[in-house]
Amino acid sequence: MSPVPTVTTVADFVELTLREDLGTLLGRWLRQVSTDEVRQGYEATLRAAAPQRVRYWLLDLRRRGTISEDSTQWVLSTFLPRLTPLLGGRVYLAFLMSPAHLSNVDQENGAPLVSNADCHVRLFSDEGLATEWLARRRAHENNA
């Protein structure tokens, strides 16, 4: 029998599900959010991932919508660089977006957003493809 996922709701805007069996953290944004809520949501996600050092995240942004340029900059330049030291290795994030935000090719393969030694981020519009990408990354790291 597989372990029951641990679900945490952050206020009324983010639901976090830790899938220990898959080594994955699923974060679903439930509505559009303010700048402060963007930060609260990401910090809560990190708090959920840190105890087990979960480095594979699927973040569903479809209901959250777009965020300000300042919030995007904070995620990319302040938040993401903190993850590797806290989680103990390269972090893989699959962002699930509305298909309107991605080309057909990017929808199938995941559009690369960030790829460096510390963090690999791809944008997807299909949850199955995003989950498969995370599983491939995990298998690759486990066999490296």
Side-chain angles (χ1 to χ4, degrees):
M1 188 166 137
S2 64
V4 176
T6 305
V7 179
T8 306
T9 301
V10 179
D12 65 342
F13 55 89
V14 173
E15 180 181 272
L16 302 171
T17 305
L18 182 59
R19 291 286 311 266
E20 290 186 56
D21 55 328
L22 301 176
T24 302
L25 181 65
L26 171 61
R28 290 198 193 279
W29 294 82
L30 305 174
R31 63 167 172 79
Q32 290 189 322
V33 293
S34 70
T35 298
D36 286 342
E37 290 170 334
V38 168
R39 292 180 184 211
Q40 289 172 30
Y42 279 102
E43 294 294 347
T45 305
L46 177 55
R47 282 193 306 277
Q52 277 82 21
R53 300 184 111 187
V54 176
R55 298 183 296 119
Y56 303 88
W57 296 10
L58 174 60
L59 301 178
D60 184 347
L61 311 179
R62 294 175 293 187
R63 284 186 257 171
R64 187 195 74 187
T66 56
I67 58 175
S68 72
E69 206 171 300
D70 287 344
S71 290
T72 300
Q73 189 61 34
W74 176 83
V75 170
L76 296 175
S77 64
T78 302
F79 182 75
L80 293 181
R82 292 174 42 214
L83 299 181
T84 296
L86 293 171
L87 300 178
R90 190 175 192 200
V91 179
Y92 297 88
L93 293 94
F95 286 121
L96 197 54
M97 323 247 330
S98 164
H101 290 98
L102 300 172
S103 72
N104 288 336
V105 170
D106 287 341
Q107 288 180 42
E108 289 179 24
N109 301 315
L113 180 63
V114 175
S115 186
N116 59 41
D118 295 326
C119 191
H120 193 163
V121 180
R122 285 200 173 211
L123 309 176
F124 293 87
S125 64
D126 180 283
E127 189 165 343
L129 295 174
T131 302
E132 288 172 17
W133 177 74
L134 287 170
R136 284 194 311 273
R137 295 290 83 212
R138 188 169 172 220
H140 176 76
E141 284 235 337
N142 288 340
N143 293 327

